[in-house]
Amino acid sequence: SRANNHFELCTQMLTKYHKAVALRTFVPPCTVIDCRPVEASLHINQKDSALVKRFTVEGSHWTMLYGQNALSLAAVLEKLGVV
């Protein structure tokens, strides 16, 4: 299904990213903003760093971009000066 394909590709991308950063073969050219939904089934227990700022927002993976949950995400991004 489309959702399964999305999940698989995201997982592959994040796995490659974290390995490259750990091996120091890749340094992001900017700060990565990692917004995870409160209802996420997977939480990465890593602290903020100079390269990654982590936040939790309302909703689940599927609902964090809709309605009131989108306003929560927008508030985080606005606070960072992204929007």
Side-chain angles (χ1 to χ4, degrees), residues 5-21:
N5 188 48
H6 167 84
F7 179 76
E8 188 174 313
L9 291 173
C10 284
T11 301
Q12 289 174 11
M13 179 189 68
L14 288 170
T15 299
K16 288 178 183 178
Y17 167 80
H18 287 294
K19 283 181 181 178
V21 169

Side-chain angles (χ1 to χ4, degrees), residues 6-79:
H6 167 84
F7 179 76
E8 188 174 313
L9 291 173
C10 284
T11 301
Q12 289 174 11
M13 179 189 68
L14 288 170
T15 299
K16 288 178 183 178
Y17 167 80
H18 287 294
K19 283 181 181 178
V21 169
L23 295 171
R24 300 187 191 282
T25 58
F26 173 75
V27 176
C30 61
T31 300
V32 174
I33 301 170
D34 181 0
C35 292
R36 297 200 178 249
V38 173
E39 299 172 24
S41 59
L42 174 64
H43 293 281
I44 294 179
N45 295 322
Q46 295 175 329
K47 296 184 179 187
D48 283 356
S49 69
L51 299 176
V52 180
K53 300 295 179 201
R54 292 179 172 81
F55 299 91
T56 54
V57 295
E58 296 302 316
S60 69
H61 180 81
W62 306 108
T63 65
M64 66 186 266
L65 300 177
Y66 297 100
Q68 186 64 33
N69 297 338
L71 296 176
S72 172
L73 176 59
V76 168
L77 298 176
E78 186 174 48
K79 183 178 175 184

